[in-house]
């Protein structure tokens, strides 16, 4: 069988540490399920700026295009603040070049970690929702202007951009609990009024079996803390999704647990933990690799369509946590590498059959 080609982009800060664990987990998946993977490692972000002057070198983009799936660690750090090229431009450029318009960020609360949540057990137990964040439009990609006494960031959305992310979110809801909460600021912004119109139309014409509600982003950010169990699929634009997904990630006890997938209509997709480069703890084997490992789970499921393998990785994470493996952000003392090893040990123990109870669905 042809091996799967994985492009690894370790990047900055803790990125290389979690990318190394991600790679080890894929190798272990290969042994466990008789699959083979080949890896190339490419530069992106600050390390790419240092080596080439560019945050997304041509060679990196070419390797990503030639791969079956891409794993990214993190980009950014204070070292590159104030420079003419920012590390984040590399990630934004990659999202745009590969048309990765759907950023999927699941939040679930592991029963063994409920007490790590800053919220009370009664609010967070059984929380399980997924955010669909539009990723290639809005103020992230509008025209930027700067004068001596002003600055502006254009926020632009087209009907087609809203339609395709809405379809992705509704399809995912259909495979889950059948509810979409679309988030906007339609009482103020014209782009939000367009967003609401288009989402309503896509719903009425294709997904009337799915429940749709609209929420304003300020109110939703409050409700997400007050009643996080009320949500199934949250659909929103780029900037709101950036903010709300960080908020969502604390519900489960640590941002270090959150994975993400960035999917396009065609071509390879990108998988990365939500936590970012965490420069304060970088290089000291202190970070939590679970967000990266669960991103490998998403890579297997959505990037390579290997459902059994994806479920195996998710079950191994659950088993390692149930057995008491904890990094420092979770109140334990395991380092990044040791936590990775705990999950790999658990992977060798999980049943080769798909474990349906841990399988997460979003289309
Ligand atoms: C994220 C990050 C990125 C974003 C940064 C690093 C550009 O915060 O993936 O959420 O704002 O999209
Ligand atoms: Mg963010």
């Amino acid at each position: 069988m042809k091996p799967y080609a994985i492009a690894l982009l370790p990047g900055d800060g803790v990125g290389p540490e979690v990318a190394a664990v991600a790679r080890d987990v894929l190798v272990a998946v290969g042994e466990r399920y008789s699959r083979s993977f080949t890896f190339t490692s490419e530069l992106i972000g600050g390390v790419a700026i240092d080596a080439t002057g560019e945050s997304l070198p041509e060679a990196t983009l070419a390797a990503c295009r030639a791969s079956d799936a891409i794993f990214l660690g993190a980009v950014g750090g204070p070292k590159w603040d104030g420079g003419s090229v920012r590390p984040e431009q590399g990630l934004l450029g990659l999202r745009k070049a590969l048309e990765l318009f759907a950023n999927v960020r699941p939040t679930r609360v592991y029963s063994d970690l409920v007490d790590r949540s800053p919220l009370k057990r009664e609010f967070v137990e059984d929380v399980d929702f997924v955010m669909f964040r539009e990723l290639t439009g809005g103020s992230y990609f509008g025209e930027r202007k700067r004068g001596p006494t002003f600055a502006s960031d254009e926020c632009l959305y087209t009907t087609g951009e809203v339609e395709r992310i809405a379809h992705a979110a509704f399809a995912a809801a259909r495979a889950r609990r059948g509810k979409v909460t679309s988030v906007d600021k339609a009482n103020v912004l014209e782009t939000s009024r367009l967003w609401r119109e288009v989402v309503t139309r896509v719903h009425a014409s294709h997904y009337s079996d799915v429940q749709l509600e609209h929420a304003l982003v300020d109110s939703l950010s409050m409700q997400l803390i007050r009643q996080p169990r009320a949500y199934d699929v949250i659909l929103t634009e780029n900037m709101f999704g950036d903010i709300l997904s960080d908020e969502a990630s604390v519900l489960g006890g640590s941002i270090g647990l959150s994975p993400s997938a960035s999917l396009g209509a065609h071509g390879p997709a990108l998988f990365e933990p939500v936590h970012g480069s965490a420069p304060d703890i970088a290089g000291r084997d202190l970070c939590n690799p679970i967000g990266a490992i669960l991103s490998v789970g998403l890579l297997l499921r959505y990037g390579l369509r290997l459902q059994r393998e994806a479920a195996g990785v998710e079950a191994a994470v659950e088993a390692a946590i149930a057995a008491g493996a904890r990094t420092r952000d979770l109140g334990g003392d395991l380092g990044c590498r040791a936590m990775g090893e705990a999950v790999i040990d658990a992977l060798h123990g999980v049943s080769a059959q798909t474990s349906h109870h841990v399988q997460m669905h979003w289309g």
Side-chain angles (χ1 to χ4, degrees):
M1 206 184 302
K2 199 169 150 278
Y4 294 100
I6 308 298
L8 291 174
L9 312 182
D12 307 320
V14 297
E17 294 163 63
V18 299
V21 172
R23 180 195 169 118
D24 290 347
V25 169
L26 279 167
V27 169
V29 166
E31 289 163 7
R32 181 78 181 78
Y33 298 95
S34 308
R35 303 281 181 191
S36 63
F37 301 96
T38 60
F39 301 95
T40 58
S41 188
E42 307 293 335
L43 296 171
I44 194 165
V47 289
I49 296 173
D50 289 349
T52 70
E54 291 171 45
S55 57
L56 178 60
E58 200 47 54
T60 298
L61 188 54
C64 289
R65 286 194 202 281
S67 74
D68 294 311
I70 307 155
F71 178 91
L72 184 139
V75 293
K79 178 176 175 193
W80 300 279
D81 278 351
S84 58
V85 190
R86 291 197 58 97
E88 291 81 359
Q89 289 167 346
L91 176 55
L92 298 178
L94 187 59
R95 290 172 177 170
K96 196 69 171 175
L98 299 179
E99 275 191 80
L100 304 173
F101 66 87
N103 185 226
V104 181
R105 296 188 167 180
T107 292
R108 59 171 290 210
V109 176
Y110 289 97
S111 53
D112 292 298
L113 294 179
V114 169
D115 295 327
R116 298 299 309 169
S117 177
L119 299 192
K120 294 193 190 96
R121 171 179 285 270
E122 68 217 70
F123 291 97
V124 287
E125 226 164 16
D126 301 323
V127 161
D128 178 5
F129 61 81
V130 55
M131 199 164 301
F132 273 69
R133 166 189 174 193
E134 200 292 326
L135 202 59
T136 50
S139 54
Y140 271 62
F141 292 96
E143 196 186 336
R144 303 200 197 290
K145 289 193 196 135
R146 184 70 187 256
T149 55
F150 74 92
S152 82
D153 299 280
E154 175 194 38
C155 182
L156 187 145
Y157 267 108
T158 65
T159 305
E161 284 174 322
V162 184
E163 276 170 359
R164 61 185 181 177
I165 186 78
H167 277 289
F170 284 121
R174 196 172 258 169
R176 292 174 47 99
R177 300 194 304 278
K179 179 176 169 189
V180 169
T181 305
S182 175
V183 182
D184 60 40
K185 187 71 184 172
N187 53 347
V188 175
L189 300 176
E190 203 53 41
T191 40
S192 282
R193 289 191 269 271
L194 175 81
W195 182 276
R196 201 176 272 222
E197 274 167 37
V198 173
V199 169
T200 304
R201 196 164 61 231
V202 169
H203 174 249
S205 54
H206 294 88
Y207 304 95
S208 47
D209 54 316
V210 174
Q211 184 194 343
L212 168 65
E213 66 181 13
H214 299 279
L216 296 172
V217 63
D218 47 350
S219 156
L220 190 279
S221 72
M222 172 190 60
Q223 299 296 354
L224 201 57
I225 301 297
R226 273 193 66 228
Q227 44 155 14
R229 256 198 304 265
Y231 302 104
D232 180 20
V233 174
I234 296 175
L235 163 63
T236 193
E237 64 94 64
N238 204 345
M239 172 77 91
F240 297 158
D242 179 46
I243 298 166
L244 292 174
S245 59
D246 268 34
E247 185 188 1
S249 73
V250 301
L251 296 173
S254 170
I255 193 170
L257 297 166
S258 297
S260 82
S262 301
L263 313 172
H266 40 74
L270 172 79
F271 303 85
E272 54 173 318
V274 174
H275 54 61
S277 61
D280 52 324
I281 56 166
R284 294 157 58 200
D285 194 36
L286 291 178
C287 65
N288 185 345
I290 298 291
I293 297 171
L294 292 173
S295 299
V296 166
L298 299 181
L299 181 154
L300 292 164
R301 174 166 292 126
Y302 296 105
L304 306 180
R305 303 265 157 209
L306 298 174
Q307 312 299 336
R308 197 176 51 131
E309 290 78 350
V313 168
E314 285 158 8
V317 167
E318 189 145 314
I321 290 172
R326 302 279 187 278
T327 38
R328 283 167 45 123
D329 54 318
L330 300 174
D333 58 6
L334 290 188
C336 177
R337 270 198 303 267
M339 187 70 169
E341 281 159 18
V343 174
I344 288 170
D345 286 348
L347 180 70
H348 288 294
V350 297
S351 152
Q353 298 309 312
T354 306
S355 358
H356 274 290
H357 73 286
V358 293
Q359 194 164 336
M360 300 185 274
H361 297 276
W362 46 84

